[in-house]
Each structure stands twice: as C-alpha cells, then as structure tokens.
Amino acid sequence: MPTPVYDADSGTRAGHNELGRLPEWNLTDLYESPDAPEIKRDMDWLETACTDFARDYQGQLATLDAHGLLDAVLRYERIEQIAGRIMSYAGLRYYQITTDGERAKFMSDCQDRITTYTTSLVFWGLEFNRLEDDHLNSLLGQSQDLHRYKPVFDRMRAMKPYQLSDELEKFLHDQSSVGASAWNKLFDETIAGLEFEVNGETLSIEGTLNLLTEQDRSQREAAFHGLATVFGANTRTFARIHNTLAKEKEIEDRWRGLPTPQTGRHLANHVEPEVVEALRNAVVAAYPRLSHRYYRLKAKWLGLDRLEVWDRNAPLPTKDDRLVTWDEAERTVTEAYAAFDPRMADLAGPFFAKGWIDAAVKPGKAPGAFAHPTVTDAHPYVMLNYLGKPRDVMTLAHELGHGVHQVLAAGQGELLCSTPLTLAETASVFGEMLTFRKLLAEAPDPKARKALLAGKVEDMINTVVRQIAFYDFESKLHEARRHGELTPDDINALWMSIQAQSLGDAFDFAPGYETFWAYIPHFIHSPFYVYAYAFGDGLVNALYAVYEEGDPTFRDKYFDMLKAGGSKHHKDLLAPFGLDASDPKFWDKGLSMIEGFIDELEAMEA
C-alpha cells in the first residue's frame, strides 16, 4: 500500500510545522494493499497448510523420529510466519487510524479467518506436552538442528501442568476473537475516539497528555481537568472492560489451575516468580530514596509547597522549551548509537531511510509508541506520536532500540526470535541511556546538566517506580475482581491506594485523578506486562555499569545477547557480564544508579 510522508504542518496542533517532515509507514514490504493478490494467496496457503499439518501429525507425534519431528517444527514455524505477516499488516494499518471502519473490519476479518484455520493446530502443543521426557531428550540428542528449538519446547512444556483437554483448548482458541481481543479493540477505538477540550481547543489524547509537560502551569492544570472530565464521563465503559477481562482471566486461570493471576505472565516471560518478587520488593523499599526524595526537590525547584499531579512531569523552570525537529532527533539518536558502536547506527539507518517509522500525530491514530517486529523475513516497524519534546527524542531512542534488537534477533527464526518481555526492554532502555549520556556529555553549562539529569531521573522513576506501582494496582484489581464485580468507584479507590505510597508526601491529588487508570493500555492488552519495564531498567543499569568499567569485549557480548532473541534464559544471557538477576542485590545495583543521579541533583542545591 503506497503511503505518503506526512508534513508536520498537517498535524493536529499549531506549531508542528517547526518539526520538519515526519515519516509515515511504508507497509508495502508486507503487502501492497488490503486487496493485493498476495494476501489471498497467503490466506489460501495458510488454510491448506493448517489442514495438511493436522492431517499429517495429529495423533502421530509420539511416533516421529528426530528428523520427522524437526520437519514438523519447521512446517509449524512457516505457518506462524505467514499468519504473522498477514496480521502484522492488518494490525499496523489499523493502528494508523483506529477509527477507520474499513481498517477495523479488515483486521477483524483476517483475525477471524486465521483463528478458524489455526484451530486445527491446537493439538500441537497439547500432544507435544504429552511426550515422555526421556523420549524427547533422546530425540534432541540425535539432532542438533532439533535441539536448537529446545528453548521453545521448554516454554511449551512449562505450561504442561496447566493445559486443559484438547476440546476445551480448541474452544478457547475459537472463542478468542470474540473474547479478550474484542474488548481490546473496544478499548483502542474508544481511546482513539476521545476528544478533550482544553482552553477552547479540541485535542486528541496524545495532544492533551503532551500538555502535562508544558512549562506553563495553567496549561498543565487545564489539560489535567480536560483529561479528568472525559475519563470521568467514560469510566463506566472502562470499568466494564476491566471487569470483563479480569473475570475472563480469573475463569481461565482457575480452570487451568494457575496459582496466581501473575503466574501466566511469569511463565510467558520465562522468569521465576521469586525474581519478580525480589524486584518488586527492592523498588517499593526504595520509594523513599527515589521518588519521595526527588519530588520534594522538584517542589522546591518549582517554588511550590506542594505538588499537584499535573506537576509530576513538568519541566524545570530553567529547561529549554524549544521544540526538537525530527532531523535533530534522528541525528542525536543515530550519533549516540554510533558512538557506542557503528553497527548500532547501521542497523538503525533503514528505519529512517526506508519508511519503517510512523511519527506524526494524526486523528484516530493509536496513542503511545511501540516497535512491532512483524516477521523474520520482513523487518520491524516503529510507531511514535512525535511532538518535538525532549522526552519524544528519548522515546525514539527507546523504540529504535527495540527495532535494532528485533532485527538482530530475527536470525533465530520465527519461533526463537521472540524475546520474553523481561529481556525485550534491554536494548530499548540501553538505547535511551546511550542517548542521555551523549546529551549529558554535551551539556553547555550546569543549568543544562541539571535539566538533563532531572529529566532522566523522572524517566527512570516513570520506568521503575511508576511501573511497579502499576503492577501493584493490577495485582489488587485482579484479586478484588475474584470476589465480585468492581464499580468504577472501587477501581478508583484501588488506584488511589497506591499513588501516595509510590509518589510520596510532596503531592496532593486533585479530584479527578482517581480515574487516570482508565487510559493505560498495558492493563488491557497485556496484564502484568508493566513489571518488564522495571526489570529492563534495572538490568540495563547493571549492564551499563559493566560497560563503564571498560570491558573491551562488552560490545561483542552485548550484540551476542541481542542476537540470541528468545533462545536463552536470562541467567545464560547475563552470565557473560558477571550478572545474575536472581540475586536480590542485583536490583539494588540498578536502583543505586538512580540514587546517584538524585545525589548529584541534591549536591547542586548546596
């Protein structure tokens, strides 16, 4: 599908013409258009391939030799690749304009057909998990090519104690397109369609949230009230979505025998519950040393006795309020990557040059930012809502890090490239750190250095403290939902119960803030995803400390880690760096970097 490049002056807010030309996705590397003959060809192939796979292998896995099982794995992998290409194309088109009925229909129709075709494959994981351990180990020992897929098999077999009957698993698979995914789409479309009135101007959610980082406090307050008014008016819808999804999860977890609402996420992330608990406890214990201390400093800088929630992301009074053009953002991030290793910049180059980034804010576009890996015989795409703020430059560095990681991991193939969420943030947060260190080194004076340090501390607090607070909110919500329907007021109360604890005594919480749980997409799309951000930040802080120690082999080991994708456990990936995430002291190392930045900021006040 040929796509134009958006000029920033066609954006949704005045002043965007200062940003330069903002790129839009070119999705033709996947398919030319929704009615391209290649889509029909691939859909037809997929239908036949799924039918043939079930005919050839259902009830037969226990009889296969190593060569036969490898052939089955390779055929299954190809099916995943073709289905992934179709859904990547449909999804990326949809997220460009979620309010477009044709795009929504196209994605839903693709999802429905693929769900129908792949129902015949449900037996694969169930029957595979019934193979005897000794038999499977024997086959793995006979074929190195088959043994390469052992991490995939390990993740499959981790679900063995929790799998249901073949019939029930098929039912859940068939029902999925009208279950969680339908509620996900309702959430996305509702959020994208919301309009917010701020000082006589009608804005999207991205434009309104952006105002919370304005220098003018009255603008921030007006944006807050605009958000609170609309969230409050829609809270019944958002509460219904949360109630339904949490109950659906509770029912499925109960049938599977999963001991906690978080267990499924831990299994998917291939991380031990005690490691996540150690991370959570370390961060909560550090709240007073991190967020509480920092926000007391911030209140002083802003000349306020108390902060309001619309001051949380306010820039410092000394901060340069100019907009960062797209060309400058590209140059800054690319140079930071190149200074670490020219290979990083080379990998990032095609994202800018070949239409792999969609940057402009547009009506109906999904909020936030992400990097989508698509499939291993294509390439990733990055979505941004670029408004020219310094934080947007860091978001570019973050998402581009994901993209570089996904390009490198693609060599593992479709089944092994996907990185668990806990490790998926590694390259993204590292890319942010490289960009920050470059800007800090180039700071022209102490005021500029202070603004950069404060901005980085706030980003790290948002990545670590706030995400663990989100994790605690989700934990409370899912536990409460087990005991009955939750009213909007119930959810509001759960939200507020963790806010003062995480943000500290410098804050007041204006009426309306209790509804701000409503717009956070991770709660809807990926329950308990959020701790991965804190995991990734702590991991990268520890990695960066090793890098600063001057290990001459660090870069090669770092690239090897990214190339591994999902083929290794976090213990094996971190071992070459002398790190171990299962050691509770590991998390204190990462948190100490944030403390060090706050120490430096406090010293500037002396």
Side-chain angles (χ1 to χ4, degrees):
M1 180 184 67
T3 51
V5 174
Y6 263 72
D7 281 314
D9 60 2
S10 67
T12 57
R13 294 193 62 230
H16 284 191
N17 57 331
E18 299 175 56
L19 301 180
R21 289 172 66 83
L22 297 177
E24 188 180 60
W25 280 328
N26 174 11
L27 298 179
T28 58
D29 288 347
L30 297 172
Y31 295 103
E32 285 288 338
S33 67
D35 56 0
E38 290 80 6
I39 291 183
K40 181 180 187 309
R41 176 201 68 196
D42 286 353
M43 275 290 192
D44 291 346
W45 180 91
L46 192 65
E47 182 177 22
T48 301
C50 291
T51 301
D52 291 350
F53 187 90
R55 179 200 64 213
D56 293 344
Y57 295 116
Q58 189 164 8
Q60 304 298 316
L61 292 191
T63 69
L64 297 177
D65 60 14
H67 179 74
L69 185 57
L70 176 62
D71 280 348
V73 171
L74 294 175
R75 285 173 61 179
Y76 186 88
E77 187 168 44
R78 182 61 179 160
I79 288 169
E80 288 273 297
Q81 191 170 49
I82 296 298
R85 177 177 282 267
I86 295 169
M87 287 311 304
S88 293
Y89 176 72
L92 292 172
R93 278 189 79 242
Y94 169 73
Y95 283 119
Q96 281 183 301
I97 314 177
T98 61
T99 51
D100 182 334
E102 181 276 324
R103 294 181 186 225
K105 172 179 166 52
F106 178 75
M107 185 174 76
S108 292
D109 287 349
C110 288
Q111 190 170 47
D112 288 346
R113 289 180 69 183
I114 289 173
T115 299
T116 298
Y117 299 160
T118 54
T119 296
S120 61
L121 307 183
V122 171
F123 81 91
W124 168 249
L126 303 175
E127 196 170 320
F128 190 93
N129 282 350
R130 288 197 286 266
L131 295 177
E132 295 293 335
D133 290 342
D134 289 345
H135 174 64
L136 178 59
N137 290 334
S138 173
L139 296 181
L140 295 177
Q142 295 170 37
S143 168
Q144 198 58 41
D145 289 338
L146 182 64
H147 191 274
R148 198 173 77 81
Y149 289 93
K150 186 175 185 299
V152 178
F153 303 153
D154 289 345
R155 285 194 284 274
M156 289 169 63
R157 290 170 82 81
M159 285 301 296
K160 183 176 180 178
Y162 311 112
Q163 69 186 34
L164 301 172
S165 69
D166 292 14
E167 193 171 37
L168 276 174
E169 293 287 0
K170 283 184 179 179
F171 168 76
L172 289 173
H173 180 84
D174 273 353
Q175 184 261 355
S176 63
S177 64
V178 292
S181 67
W183 290 95
N184 278 213
K185 277 186 283 188
L186 173 62
F187 173 84
D188 291 338
E189 290 164 9
T190 302
I191 284 287
L194 295 180
E195 293 183 335
F196 303 83
E197 296 294 325
V198 183
N199 293 332
E201 191 176 3
T202 301
L203 302 173
S204 68
I205 189 168
E206 283 294 336
T208 312
L209 289 169
N210 182 60
L211 291 178
L212 294 176
T213 64
E214 288 286 327
Q215 194 76 257
D216 184 344
R217 194 180 192 220
S218 65
Q219 277 276 78
R220 299 197 304 271
E221 182 176 359
F224 167 84
H225 289 302
L227 291 164
T229 297
V230 175
F231 292 159
N234 289 274
T235 190
R236 289 172 63 85
T237 298
F238 292 122
R240 171 58 47 223
I241 294 170
H242 275 268
N243 267 290
T244 303
L245 289 173
K247 184 61 179 178
E248 181 185 69
K249 186 177 191 314
E250 185 272 325
I251 291 169
E252 184 171 335
D253 285 355
R254 174 160 38 89
W255 275 74
R256 292 190 181 282
L258 291 162
T260 72
Q262 299 88 347
T263 299
R265 177 63 60 200
H266 299 337
L267 288 168
N269 284 342
H270 207 45
V271 64
E272 300 77 11
E274 56 271 22
V275 172
V276 179
E277 190 67 11
L279 163 65
R280 183 262 172 201
N281 291 342
V283 173
V284 171
Y287 284 169
R289 308 194 307 274
L290 302 179
S291 49
H292 298 188
R293 185 161 63 117
Y294 173 75
Y295 287 125
R296 284 195 291 268
L297 271 176
K298 185 164 188 175
K300 181 180 176 182
W301 296 333
L302 295 178
L304 300 170
D305 292 328
R306 305 277 295 169
L307 295 175
E308 263 294 355
V309 286
W310 52 80
D311 300 316
R312 186 173 61 82
N313 287 323
L316 299 192
T318 58
K319 190 171 183 179
D320 184 357
D321 205 28
R322 71 182 179 88
L323 294 176
V324 182
T325 67
W326 178 253
D327 287 346
E328 183 182 349
E330 176 182 347
R331 184 171 61 254
T332 298
V333 175
T334 302
E335 289 178 357
Y337 278 23
F340 170 69
D341 192 302
R343 288 174 289 179
M344 285 276 282
D346 290 344
L347 289 162
F351 285 85
F352 296 102
K354 295 185 176 181
W356 299 2
I357 300 176
D358 194 291
V361 176
K362 300 185 287 287
K365 184 176 177 180
F370 61 76
H372 191 300
T374 71
V375 287
T376 54
D377 60 351
H379 56 77
Y381 285 90
V382 164
M383 193 196 83
L384 306 169
N385 279 275
Y386 189 82
L387 292 161
K389 294 294 183 72
R391 275 197 173 92
D392 294 330
V393 180
M394 289 299 176
T395 301
L396 171 61
H398 181 102
E399 299 303 339
L400 203 58
H402 277 307
V404 166
H405 194 173
Q406 290 159 357
V407 169
L408 287 169
Q412 293 290 341
E414 208 64 40
L415 295 180
L416 283 163
C417 68
S418 182
T419 308
L421 293 178
T422 43
L423 297 170
E425 296 300 326
T426 304
S428 54
V429 179
F430 198 85
E432 277 190 81
M433 183 63 78
L434 292 172
T435 304
F436 166 70
R437 293 288 188 174
K438 169 183 164 59
L439 294 173
L440 194 66
E442 296 173 353
D445 54 51
K447 284 186 177 179
R449 183 178 179 86
K450 178 180 177 179
L452 283 166
L453 278 170
K456 184 58 177 172
V457 168
E458 291 199 12
D459 287 343
M460 295 172 99
I461 286 173
N462 284 337
T463 303
V464 177
V465 170
R466 191 158 171 79
Q467 301 303 323
I468 290 300
F470 284 173
Y471 178 71
D472 281 354
F473 165 72
E474 280 190 279
S475 298
K476 286 187 173 188
L477 185 143
H478 282 264
E479 177 59 31
R481 184 64 181 92
R482 289 180 174 224
H483 304 290
E485 177 91 4
L486 301 176
T487 67
D489 286 344
D490 292 334
I491 303 177
N492 292 348
L494 292 174
W495 174 254
M496 293 306 297
S497 72
I498 53 95
Q499 293 303 307
Q501 179 194 19
S502 63
L503 295 177
D505 56 8
F507 277 92
D508 289 325
F509 297 95
Y513 184 63
E514 67 276 3
T515 63
F516 271 52
W517 52 268
Y519 77 95
I520 297 167
H522 299 85
F523 301 156
I524 303 300
H525 293 299
S526 306
F528 303 106
Y529 178 111
V530 289
Y531 73 73
Y533 288 111
F535 195 108
D537 197 87
L539 188 154
V540 166
N541 290 343
L543 268 180
Y544 203 88
V546 175
Y547 169 55
E548 287 189 313
E549 290 168 4
D551 177 0
T553 65
F554 180 89
R555 291 169 180 80
D556 287 337
K557 289 190 290 192
Y558 178 75
F559 276 94
D560 287 343
M561 179 174 68
L562 300 188
K563 289 175 184 175
S567 67
K568 293 183 179 179
H569 188 268
H570 63 78
K571 276 184 174 290
D572 300 321
L573 287 173
L574 293 175
F577 303 95
L579 299 172
D580 181 1
S582 64
D583 180 356
K585 294 179 183 177
F586 172 85
W587 302 112
D588 291 329
K589 283 184 183 178
L591 296 172
S592 68
M593 181 176 285
I594 311 175
E595 284 188 76
F597 289 155
I598 299 174
D599 290 343
E600 185 173 346
L601 288 167
E602 282 186 332
M604 289 179 174
E605 299 298 302

